Amino acid sequence: QMQLVESGGGLVQTGGSLRLSCVASGYTFSWFAMGWFRQAPEKEREFVAGITSSGRSTNIAETVKGRFSISRDHAKNTVYLQMNSLKPEDTAVYYCAARIDGVDVTPTTYNYWGLGTQVTVSS
């Protein structure tokens, strides 16, 4: 079983920045592609960003492209989501997820999930 624990969420003003972290344990971190998803109240969970197991390739959703970036540190078993120029519509619970194959935008294809961290952007 793989455990994922997110941190770094909080309340920030429009235009501010946050960096989310997700620490993985239980399985070899470098085997897994990692994704960040978010879910706002009464909305479906949506893909935000993904990174391949090697870290050489990333996929960023169009809604956040140019503002968010994803990276990973294999020495720390951690994947990061850097969020800049935050907007109120970025308010959501942010989840990290892991899957053995490459990055995918569909949440149901991921095998492991964290419990999420709340991000609130005030206007």
Side-chain angles (χ1 to χ4, degrees):
Q1 192 78 350
M2 189 180 205
Q3 290 79 42
L4 301 173
V5 180
E6 303 96 336
S7 63
L11 175 64
V12 64
Q13 291 185 333
T14 297
S17 297
L18 284 174
R19 188 177 79 157
L20 305 184
S21 301
C22 172
V23 178
S25 61
Y27 282 146
T28 302
F29 181 62
S30 60
W31 291 353
F32 293 83
M34 302 298 295
W36 283 99
F37 292 79
R38 66 187 182 185
Q39 188 165 18
E42 302 183 358
K43 291 190 175 181
E44 293 190 353
R45 193 167 296 190
E46 66 170 347
F47 174 81
V48 175
I51 188 166
T52 56
S53 57
S54 67
R56 294 192 189 101
S57 181
T58 63
N59 184 359
I60 308 295
E62 287 296 324
T63 53
V64 302
K65 192 167 286 185
R67 301 187 296 121
F68 290 13
S69 63
I70 186 172
S71 61
R72 66 191 297 164
D73 184 337
H74 287 163
K76 296 182 178 180
N77 287 354
T78 301
V79 60
Y80 303 98
L81 183 69
Q82 179 66 44
M83 306 187 295
N84 300 326
S85 302
L86 283 161
K87 305 175 181 180
E89 50 263 45
D90 296 318
T91 295
V93 177
Y94 283 72
Y95 300 89
C96 75
R99 67 192 301 268
I100 283 290
D101 294 322
V103 173
D104 196 288
V105 301
T106 306
T108 54
T109 66
Y110 285 74
N111 306 103
Y112 303 102
W113 289 84
L115 295 179
T117 185
Q118 176 71 47
V119 171
T120 303
V121 185
S122 63
S123 56

